Each structure stands twice: as structure tokens, then as C-alpha cells.
Amino acid sequence: MDSHPSLTGRSIGNSNRSSLDLGHSSSSSHSSLTKSISDASSQSLSSILNNPHVGKSGVYGTDASWVGWWSSSSTSVSPSEFSPVASAKLPGSDLTRSDFNTYISSISDSHNRFEDIINHTKEEESSELDQERHVSGLASCLREVPSLYFKEDFALEDGATFRSACPFSSLNENLALQEKLSQYLDVVEMHLVKEISVRSDSFFEAQGQLEDLNVKIVEGCRRIRDLKETIRVIDRSLVDSARRIQELSSTRVNMLELQRKLRVILYVNQALTALKLFVASADCAGALDITDDLQNLLAGDELTGLHCFRHLRDHVTISIDSINSILTAEFMRISIHNTGEIDVLILSSAKKRGSISSNGETGDEVKLEEEDTSTLCDRLLPLVIGLLRTAKFPSILRMYREALTSEMKNAIKNAVAELLPILVARSLESDFSHGERSVDVDGGGLSLASKLRTLSSEAFVNLLTAIFRIVQAHLVRASEVKKAIEWILCNIDGHYAADSVAAAIAVGAVAAESAQESGFQSGQLVSSPLGSLTSKTPSLQRKSSDATNLMNMSRNFRADVLRENTEAVFAACEVTHARWAKLLGVRALLHPKLKLQEFMSIYDLTQEFITVTEKIGGRLGSSIRGTLQSQAKAFVDSQHEARMTKLKAVLDQETWDEIDVPEEFQSIISSLFASQELISGKGTEDQSTESRNEKSESSEGAAVSNAQVKSTVKASVSSVTNNQSNQKAHGKSNLFYQGVGYHMVNCGLILLKMLSEYIDMNNSLPALSSEIVLRVVEVLRFFNTRTCQLVLGAGAMQVSGLKSIKAKHLALASQVIDFTYTIIPESRRIMFSKVPEARKPLLSVDIDKVAQDYRVHRDEIYTKLVQIMRERLLAHLHGLPKVVEGWNRPPDTNKQTKEFAWPLTREVGYLHRVLSETLHEADVQAIFRQVILIIHTQTSQTLANLEISSPEAKKRLKLHVELILKCIRSLPSDNTNQPGIPNWGQLDEFFAQHFREEEEEEGGGQAE
């Protein structure tokens, strides 16, 4: 055997061990097994290898059985025959199959499934049985023969193996071992014969099939020889002539193809020669036509395999690069380099003294020689078409953008370099002439930034104006180029070159798309889309798809060109914005300290520059707007800080004395407020009275709305002039607003001037109006708070050196506060005209709060005046009991009167005189209404508590009360409780109760 069975097979055989066993069983079984094996082995092994079906003897007939050949006996026992049992008729035997149809139909599905399961199980068992039969022979062999003889390394030369196989213990055992080995050999041979016999039918069948196949192969070879002979005869008689004709026709086609190739070679050679001439003569259109043809040839297979044209692609690429260089140089020359003469004209005009005014307006407008737009379009048309055909126009426009921005930078740099020394010299010369400073005019050693800071505001405006004009000239030129390109690309319909532009855009679009997809470098060759579309004959759907794709690519390519064209102009505007912002940034520390007019000249010029450049560029410039806004805010903050410092110093030095109002401040009122409010042809006296009455009501605590303030009748300019003249005749001149005069002190006039300056800033800087309103609120709040501290809080006694705070000081402070409170609504209306609607509610709250503070402050001053008079009255009433005690002696009447009533009435009269000269009549009436009420109440209560025992004391008391009532009658007040008796009160009732009855009695006695 080729290989020995493994231990695994032996274990399988052991698990299926049959009754036949090689173990040491009984001697009878051992002897019978030996006999059967020896009988079977006596047959020749070679005899069974012959096919039993082809033998001639009866032994090998078709009915011969291999099983019979193996069996030792051919006798068979026939089964015994049994007679049939007599059947008796059983109950229910008369039933038929139709009686069970219902039952069968109910169980048919289940029975079918059961049969399927049984059949499947039988098939599995049969397959397993076949496998077991196949393995059983070898397994039985492995069970009978020890495993030692099936080891792969079995060799008797090995001592251990030999001792295991042949122990040689005794002669009898050796004989028995030899017999056992013979039995092992017979068992193996017998099982091999069985395995071969099982497969012999397959062997013989395969052998028969091979013999049949051999016969068929021989027959096929014979037929092939006959067919070849037939074909040879047909070839010789029919095909040779036709094949000759076909060979000649093929040769003719090859010759024609060769001729066409030679013509292509000749055309390419001539095209290269012409291309060199066109490039040398700068005929870009003709050169591009040739390059398009060569590109189409290279894109196809016409030149494939021609060694002579291996460098043609490189030649075409170099030629296209040369054409691009020529077109780019010419485009740059036309677009940019023609603006140098304009810069020279502007600079020469700016160098002339007085050519540029202080506000930035040019005295002599430079005439720019701009070529006609149509001429520019005609000059740019062939260049644009050529650059579109090479698909280089977007990249050329990017180069144009860089060149344009560089040109703008150089133009501004040259302008600063040429004008700055002249302007510095003029500034220093002007400063020296005014005696402000003495500096070396040469200015050597100063940096550019230092020179810019040395310039006066007027000189700096002149420099910015010149730069503005230069930038404007360059941007106008760039804008014309942009418009020309847009016209060529978008609005050329009906022009003779419209088809050329469309074809150029299509070629450029395909080239750009191919370059983007393949990622090649610039200069790669792309065939014309028109040639590629017409060179093939695709289906109608393919043609429609190609046309749609070409249209989309053309649209995208045109959009890219237009975007780069727009970006070029915008980039130039951005550069000019950055340079302008840099110039402003150098002087960032100086601009907040300028006057409003000087700063506004720079601000307005910058705003005009931004407007013009943004209109040309088409977008907003964020950088320069941010710089201008920051400098404007710094200017407002600096001005506000300076004014706050000045206002604090003025308030600290204020002596609260009335001053004459200069005409300048009345002009401020007229320019800011009166021109909005004055109505000619109306009376003023009654209106002034009415307004004073309204103000008096507000001083008592009633809230006055903005509508009420605005409803006061306005005075005409003529009436204001008359009132001013009358005031000058009587003394100090007043400040008139809405027909009402106000006595002013120095700090009030300063505050008015500051408010006018803030309003001017608000009108000039509308973008910062919200910030300015907040600053105004801060100034008003500070002025009100500080005034309250200095006057009501008596802080002026420590700061200004006042010995005391008098009623005159309080009255003047109330006039300033009242005037400020009156102009707040109109100031708000003027400033809110520039404030955004979103900020107005918050700012209105702040302003209303400040106005309320001013009204409360004014009322507190009025209350303070009343309180002062009350304190003086209480002081006099406190000493009245002692005075009454001395009235028992007969004193002089006048002397006795001076002890109580005369000092009191003198102080009241002084207060009346001071307030009447300073405050408005309505305010004076409101104050003295409260003073009179206090005098009536306090005096009558004190007199009622006095114990007057003598008629002389009562008489003197009557004289004092009469003097007080006479003073009360002379005071201004609108309180009239009794008809014809002004200022009637409790003191009148006390006098009538205690002294009128006595007078009546005395009068009756005298009558009797």
C-alpha cells in the first residue's frame, strides 16, 4: 500500500467494531477465521482484474455475481410455502375508500409533510450507509491488523520496532507469530480485493469510454483532411483572383493615406513657418488661428507616430506663451501706463501757491485728457479676444490688479514725496510769520511721519486734496477699462466682433475647464471646442448634451472674468483707502486737538474721498471708515474732555455776579433757536406775561411738558431788540430767548457757547450724534450738580472766596438754571434730527431726567429763598416778647417801631427789590406768595400768644402790625381773598379782631 491508515481511521473502526474481532478470542473462532482466509487467498488476484462481462465461459456471464464468487457454498434454501388462511368476513368490511375522503382531505397536508420528512430521512440514511460501506472494509482491516504495522516510520531495522514485532521469547511463539503475520497479510489482501471489486465496474466503463473516444478522434482527423483538401481546391479555383483585387485595393487606400499624411506634414511645416512670422510681427490674431489648428491636430491622431513632430507640442506652447506676453504687455500699457501725464499735471498744479484752497477745493481744475470710451473699447477689443482664446484673461486680470494697486501706491508715494517738502516749508514759514514758533525751515533729518505731523491742518488738507485728485484720475481710468471689458463680454450684441467674442469665450472656457480637471500647468494644449464638436457625428442627444455643457462652461468662464475685472478696481480702491487711512493715522494725535472747522475740513474731504472711491469700486470701504470714525470719536472725546475741564474751572472761579451779555451770545441764540421759533407780526407783552405765568406754575411743583414749553408764544426779532435796548437803558443787558430776558453770569454764557459747539458738532458729525448727545447730557448734569454744590451747598464760599451766599447769588443761579431748563427741549429737537430712531428712546430718557433735575434745582432755589425769609421772620418773632415787655414804658413811637416791624419790613423790601431786579415777575409772585403766607401765619400765631396788659402796649403793637400789613400790601402776589384788599391773610383777621373793634368803640365814644 502507498500509505498506512492513520490512528483516526482506526479509532473510527474501533467505534463500529462488529462481531469479528482480532483480540484473543476463543480458539474455535480463531481457527474458522484462519480457514476462511486461507480459502479465499488461494484464488489468484490477477483473475479478478479481468472484465467479467467480456468472458466466454458461463462463470463470467452477465448473470454472474461477485457475491456468489466470494461465497463458499452455492446452495440456497427456498422459503417454505404456507397455505393461505381462510378469511372470515369482519365487521365494517363493506366500507369503501370514498367513506374516508373527508378524513383523508383533513390530514392530507400533514401526511404530505410527514412523507417529505420520511423521504428526506431515508435519503440521509442511505447516503450515510454508503459512506459506512465504503469505510467499513478499511475499518475492519484496521481492527484486525495492529496499528504498529501502519506507522509511517515502521522499519524492522529499528531495534525497538523489531523487539515489538518479534519478541523471540520461544520457538513456539515465533511460529505462532509467523502464522499471525500470514493472517495479517491475507486480511489486507482480501480487503484490497474487495475494494477493487467494488470499483471494477467504473474502471471498465472508463476504459470503454476511452476506446470509443479514440475511435471518434480518428474519424475526426480523417474528416479534417478531407475538408482541407476541398478548401484547397476551392481556393485555387475561386478565391485567388478576388484576394488579389482586395490586396490591390488595400494598397491604394494605404497610398492615399500616405498622401494625406504627407499633405498634413506639409501643412504643419508651413504653419510653423507662418507662426514664427506672425509672432515676430506681433500679429496675435493670425498666430492664434494657427495655434488653434495645430492644437486640433495634436488633440487628434493625425500626427500620432510621426517622429519629425515630436517637439511640435513644445513649439506651440512656446508660441502661445509669446503671444500671451505680447497681449499682456499691450493690455497693461493701454490700461495703466497712460496715467503718468495726469499725475504730473496735478502735482504741478498743487505746487503752485494758492492753487488749492484751505477747504480742499481746487482753484484751477486740471483738465484730464480722457480718451473716448468707444476708442478705448476698440483698442481693448482685439487684446481681450486674444486673451480669452488663450484662457489667460482671468490670470492676466489678476496681474492687472497687482499692477494697478502697485501703481496706486507709487502714485500716492510720489505725490507725498514731491509735495511734502513744499508744504512743510509753507507751514513753517506761516508759523514763523505768526510768531508761533521758530524752526529750521530746511527740516533736514525729519522722518516722513514727523514731517506729516509738522504740517498745519491747512497744508495737510492741501496734500490730501492733491492725493484725492491723483487717485481719482487713476480710478476713473481703471473704471473706464472695467466698463470696456464688461461691454465687450456682455453688451457687444450686434457688433461685428460679437461672433469672435463668443467663440473666444467658448475656447477659453473649454481650456480653463480642461486645465482645472487635469491639473496641468499653464500652456497645456486644448483643442477648439468647435472643432471637437464637428469632428464627430454623435447622436442628437449627445449633441444637445455637449451644447449644454459648452454653454454652462462659457457662462462660468465669463463670470470668472467679470469677477476678476471687478476685483481689480475694488482692490485699487482698497489700497487707496489703506494709504489714506495711514496718512490719517500718522496725525491721529493731532486731529483731536484741532478746531471744529479744521477737523471738519479733513473729515468732509475724507468723506468725499470715500464716496467717490466707493462709487467707482462698487463696495463699501470698511478700513477707512473705521479709521475716520475712530478719529471722529477721539475728536469728540477730546473736545468734550477739554470742555469739561474748562467748565469745571469756570464754575470754580464763578463769583455769581451778573454780567453784561455780549452780542455774540445773543447771536448764538438767534442762529440756533430763535430762527426756528420767532414769528413776526405778533405782540410780545401779553405773550411774555402768559409765559411767565406758566413758568410760575411750574415753580410751584406742577410738571411742565415739552408741549407746554413749545406752546409759549414766540417773540419777534424786533421785540427782542426793543427789550434789549430797554434793558441797556436800565443797566445790564439780558439774554433773550422766546421773548423772555434772562440775567446771566459768566458760567451760564460759557455753557451756552458749549451747547452751541456741541450742536455744531452734532450737525457736522451725524454718525456720532448719539455720542454727542450723551456728552451734552453729561455736561448739563455736571453743570447742574456743580452749581447746586456751589450755591445751595455754599461751596462757592470755599472755592470762589465769597463771604456768604446772598439772595442775589441765588436769584442769578436760578436764572441760569431756568434758562438752561428752557432751552433743553429745543436743543433736544435740534440734536435728535441726526440721531437714529433706535437710539432716541434711551437718549430721551436721559435728557428728560436731566431736565427734571434742572426743574427741581430751580424749585429748590426758590424754596431756599422762601426759607431764608422764614428764618429771618422767626428770628424777629423770637425777640418780640422782650420788646413787648419794654412797651410799658412810654417810648418814642418811631423808636418803638424800629424794634420789631422796621427791620422785618426792611429785609422783606430788600428781598423784593433783589428778586424783582433778577427774576421774572411770575417767579417773584410765586416766591412772595409763600413768603406772605408765612408772614401771615407765623406773625398771627406769635401775636396771639402775647400777653398785652396795658393800652400803651396794645397801641404800639397796633402800629407794628399796621406797618407789617402795609409792607405785605406792597409785595407782588396774585393772592386776593378779599375784594380790593391785596394779600389778605391771617394777620388781617388778627388785626380786625383785636384792633378794629377798639377803633369802632373809640369812634363811637367820640361821636357821643
Short mmCIF file of all heavy atoms in Angstrom, two decimals, residues 80-97:
data_model
loop_
_atom_site.label_atom_id
_atom_site.label_comp_id
_atom_site.label_asym_id
_atom_site.label_seq_id
_atom_site.Cartn_x
_atom_site.Cartn_y
_atom_site.Cartn_z
N SER A 80 -40.18 -21.85 2.80
CA SER A 80 -41.29 -22.79 2.92
C SER A 80 -42.57 -22.14 2.49
O SER A 80 -42.77 -20.95 2.66
CB SER A 80 -41.39 -23.28 4.37
OG SER A 80 -41.65 -22.16 5.22
N GLU A 81 -43.42 -22.91 1.89
CA GLU A 81 -44.69 -22.42 1.38
C GLU A 81 -45.77 -22.67 2.43
O GLU A 81 -45.82 -23.73 3.03
CB GLU A 81 -45.04 -23.12 0.08
CG GLU A 81 -44.06 -22.83 -1.04
CD GLU A 81 -44.47 -23.56 -2.31
OE1 GLU A 81 -45.48 -24.27 -2.27
OE2 GLU A 81 -43.78 -23.36 -3.33
N PHE A 82 -46.58 -21.61 2.62
CA PHE A 82 -47.67 -21.72 3.61
C PHE A 82 -48.98 -21.54 2.91
O PHE A 82 -49.10 -20.70 2.03
CB PHE A 82 -47.50 -20.64 4.69
CG PHE A 82 -46.22 -20.76 5.47
CD1 PHE A 82 -45.09 -20.06 5.08
CD2 PHE A 82 -46.16 -21.63 6.56
CE1 PHE A 82 -43.92 -20.19 5.79
CE2 PHE A 82 -44.97 -21.75 7.26
CZ PHE A 82 -43.86 -21.04 6.89
N SER A 83 -49.95 -22.31 3.31
CA SER A 83 -51.29 -22.21 2.71
C SER A 83 -51.97 -20.98 3.26
O SER A 83 -51.79 -20.63 4.42
CB SER A 83 -52.10 -23.48 3.02
OG SER A 83 -52.24 -23.63 4.42
N PRO A 84 -52.81 -20.27 2.44
CA PRO A 84 -53.50 -19.03 2.93
C PRO A 84 -54.53 -19.36 3.99
O PRO A 84 -55.16 -20.41 3.98
CB PRO A 84 -54.14 -18.48 1.65
CG PRO A 84 -54.31 -19.66 0.76
CD PRO A 84 -53.17 -20.59 1.04
N VAL A 85 -54.65 -18.41 4.89
CA VAL A 85 -55.60 -18.55 6.00
C VAL A 85 -56.98 -18.19 5.50
O VAL A 85 -57.16 -17.18 4.79
CB VAL A 85 -55.20 -17.64 7.17
CG1 VAL A 85 -56.18 -17.80 8.32
CG2 VAL A 85 -53.79 -17.97 7.63
N ALA A 86 -57.95 -18.97 5.87
CA ALA A 86 -59.32 -18.69 5.45
C ALA A 86 -59.78 -17.41 6.11
O ALA A 86 -59.67 -17.23 7.32
CB ALA A 86 -60.22 -19.85 5.85
N SER A 87 -60.24 -16.51 5.32
CA SER A 87 -60.66 -15.18 5.82
C SER A 87 -62.12 -15.22 6.16
O SER A 87 -62.94 -15.69 5.37
CB SER A 87 -60.38 -14.12 4.77
OG SER A 87 -61.11 -14.38 3.60
N ALA A 88 -62.45 -14.70 7.27
CA ALA A 88 -63.84 -14.55 7.70
C ALA A 88 -64.26 -13.11 7.53
O ALA A 88 -63.45 -12.21 7.70
CB ALA A 88 -64.01 -15.00 9.15
N LYS A 89 -65.50 -12.90 7.20
CA LYS A 89 -65.99 -11.52 6.97
C LYS A 89 -66.07 -10.81 8.32
O LYS A 89 -66.78 -11.24 9.23
CB LYS A 89 -67.36 -11.58 6.32
CG LYS A 89 -67.83 -10.21 5.88
CD LYS A 89 -69.13 -10.31 5.11
CE LYS A 89 -69.56 -8.96 4.62
NZ LYS A 89 -70.82 -9.03 3.85
N LEU A 90 -65.27 -9.71 8.41
CA LEU A 90 -65.19 -8.95 9.65
C LEU A 90 -66.18 -7.80 9.62
O LEU A 90 -66.59 -7.33 8.56
CB LEU A 90 -63.77 -8.42 9.83
CG LEU A 90 -62.68 -9.51 9.93
CD1 LEU A 90 -61.32 -8.87 10.02
CD2 LEU A 90 -62.94 -10.42 11.12
N PRO A 91 -66.50 -7.26 10.79
CA PRO A 91 -67.42 -6.10 10.84
C PRO A 91 -66.79 -4.89 10.15
O PRO A 91 -65.62 -4.60 10.33
CB PRO A 91 -67.61 -5.86 12.34
CG PRO A 91 -67.26 -7.15 12.98
CD PRO A 91 -66.23 -7.83 12.14
N GLY A 92 -67.55 -4.19 9.40
CA GLY A 92 -67.06 -2.98 8.71
C GLY A 92 -66.34 -3.26 7.44
O GLY A 92 -65.71 -2.36 6.88
N SER A 93 -66.34 -4.47 6.96
CA SER A 93 -65.60 -4.77 5.74
C SER A 93 -66.28 -4.22 4.51
O SER A 93 -65.70 -4.22 3.43
CB SER A 93 -65.43 -6.30 5.62
OG SER A 93 -66.71 -6.91 5.57
N ASP A 94 -67.48 -3.78 4.64
CA ASP A 94 -68.18 -3.23 3.49
C ASP A 94 -67.88 -1.75 3.24
O ASP A 94 -68.45 -1.11 2.39
CB ASP A 94 -69.69 -3.40 3.68
CG ASP A 94 -70.16 -2.76 4.99
OD1 ASP A 94 -69.25 -2.43 5.82
OD2 ASP A 94 -71.36 -2.58 5.17
N LEU A 95 -66.95 -1.18 3.98
CA LEU A 95 -66.58 0.25 3.81
C LEU A 95 -65.74 0.41 2.55
O LEU A 95 -64.92 -0.45 2.23
CB LEU A 95 -65.81 0.76 5.02
CG LEU A 95 -66.58 0.81 6.35
CD1 LEU A 95 -65.65 1.23 7.48
CD2 LEU A 95 -67.76 1.77 6.24
N THR A 96 -65.91 1.55 1.87
CA THR A 96 -65.12 1.89 0.67
C THR A 96 -64.22 3.09 0.96
O THR A 96 -64.34 3.75 1.99
CB THR A 96 -66.06 2.19 -0.50
OG1 THR A 96 -66.85 3.33 -0.16
CG2 THR A 96 -66.95 1.00 -0.83
N ARG A 97 -63.31 3.34 -0.01
CA ARG A 97 -62.36 4.46 0.16
C ARG A 97 -63.06 5.81 0.18
O ARG A 97 -62.59 6.78 0.84
CB ARG A 97 -61.33 4.41 -0.98
CG ARG A 97 -60.27 5.49 -0.87
CD ARG A 97 -59.24 5.37 -1.97
NE ARG A 97 -58.25 6.41 -1.87
CZ ARG A 97 -57.18 6.38 -1.12
NH1 ARG A 97 -56.94 5.27 -0.39
NH2 ARG A 97 -56.33 7.37 -1.07
#
